[in-house]
Amino acid sequence: MAKKTTSFICQACGALHSRWQGKCESCGAWNSIAEESPAAVTLPAAHRSGRKGRLIELQSLAGTNDSPPRTQTHIAEFDRVAGGGIVPGSVLLIGGDPGIGKSTLLIQVSATLARAGHRVIYVSGEEAVEQVRLRADRLGLANAPVELAAETNVEDIAATLSQGRTPVLVVIDSIQTMWTDTAESAPGTVTQVRSSAQILIRYAKQAGAAVILVGHVTKDGQIAGPRVVEHMVDAVLSFEGDGAHQFRILRAQKNRFGPTDEIGVFEMTGLGLSEVPNPSELFLSNRDRGAPGTAVYAGMEGTRPVLVEIQALVVPTSLGTPRRAVVGWDPSRLSMVLAVLEARCGIKLGGHDVHLNVAGGFRISEPAADLAVAAALVSSLSGAVLPADSVYFGEISLTGAARPVPHAPARLKEAAKLGFARAVVPDAKAKERGGKERERDSAPPIPLDVIGSLADLVAGIAARGPRRNARAVEEA
Ligand code: TYD
Ligand code: MG
């Protein structure tokens, strides 16, 4: 028997260290390293006994079933992100900050499936059965035939799940509260979380039941974060939102059975989460028309167009190094747009603080937002109000050229649907010649203001009044 030793494991990313240290070199988290006994790392007995391997059957790549069968929950915003429904035998991890609404979402998913006649088991390791019941009652779901348990030992859970009809869905809320007899560390540590997840994953594959694991994102590293099991599961979804806004976004980060760029939008109400089938309407509901520094961006999230307002505030700085503050967009992308504005259009912002905000707390990752960001920045600097009925989308290259982006027809259609009258877009001819874009045969639903470069955009905005700092723009 090996000498008993302990190891130091980062609770945020699972990296192994030889000694305790304040900062994990692997993921950069502070105070996340904890001492654990490596019980689960030992090899199974069969391995050590030198047992000869059993022959396995090798199969061809072709001839497997085309797409996995799925069970739809009929909560459309959830099904879309999951790739069209839940896949039997798959394991899905839903991560998110505590209190964001993971338990609420999953009790709603469970109840909907159970009402449709599927067997659903909800295991809560955090709340007593009575608390889960209370929440279900508040949500009007108390009569749904979901089977409930408050339990944290995975061996007991797996044994219970193996009894009776195979469930379609098992929810484990949360993986961080689970523990197994096979690992010696305390519940919530990397070793326990991984070993428990392994047992539940093995159960899912053997029984053909879908398992959803809830994982809290933790900032202080006191308990292992969901990242330590991400590689073991079939799909990783994150549930996002902030305290200041009612809406929540379900985003796929990894999905072995579907696309990863889809989002589901929900609104947290007094009666639980309600679906938001048209997020653009929600994000544009409190627009500040008539104020300089705002531009509406026609974005895409997966297969769905989403319109959001980009707000910029450009003000003379009182600091040696001007501030660059971004909420909801990539800060390095903002730096690039600012650099191109300076290099190609002569707009110098070195003496200005720049604040950029995506309204409503939404987060965008597409470079297609470049043009809308630039428009908002120039509008704020010049004081020229952009037309309230225009949308912007397009990428800006380092040369100052405006580049077309994919899915223009879908973006334009959504803008037209929401009453926008014009779209400022890059010249798509170069792309058209490539002949790839099938969708562009039909005429656009709204008139296009086609621009070739960032300088065209700036000139267009400079031609508008009233302006306070017009000179900065006109110098361009
Ligand atoms: P919860 O699902 O418990 O979050 P998580 O499981 O991610 O920790 O949601 C908790 C929050 O949601 C709580 O602050 C109250 C709020 N909430 C509502 O606003 N309406 C509701 O109907 C419910 C059930 C919760
Ligand atoms: Mg919860």
Side-chain angles (χ1 to χ4, degrees), residues 437-457:
E437 215 69 338
R438 278 167 285 110
E439 309 149 292
R440 69 173 65 258
D441 297 338
S442 51
I446 49 175
L448 305 181
D449 289 334
V450 174
I451 58 170
S453 66
L454 187 55
D456 290 353
L457 178 81

Side-chain angles (χ1 to χ4, degrees), residues 106 121-125 154 157 161 170-175 177-178 200 211-215:
L106 291 174
I121 300 177
Y122 189 103
V123 183
S124 177
V154 275
I157 292 171
L161 295 177
V170 178
V171 175
I172 304 289
D173 187 1
S174 65
I175 187 63
T177 54
M178 297 294 139
L200 292 164
V211 173
I212 297 183
L213 306 175
V214 172

Side-chain angles (χ1 to χ4, degrees), residues 353-377:
D353 286 338
V354 174
H355 298 265
L356 191 80
N357 179 36
V358 178
F362 195 63
R363 187 164 63 80
I364 45 185
S365 49
E366 277 191 303
D370 289 353
L371 213 59
V373 168
L377 290 171

Side-chain angles (χ1 to χ4, degrees), residues 70 80-84 234-235 252 254-262:
R70 291 173 190 274
R80 178 175 341 94
V81 179
D234 298 305
K254 154 182 169 178
N255 195 345
R256 290 184 183 150
F257 306 112
T260 52
D261 51 1
E262 294 288 359

Side-chain angles (χ1 to χ4, degrees), residues 67 69 101 133 165 173 186 194 207 236 246 262 270 286 293 303 321 330 342 355 362 365 391 415 426 434 442:
S67 68
R133 274 200 198 122
R165 181 158 70 105
D173 187 1
R194 276 198 186 143
V236 178
Q246 288 310 101
E262 294 288 359
N286 295 316
T303 54
T321 313
D330 180 4
E342 173 160 353
H355 298 265
F362 195 63
S365 49
V391 295
S442 51

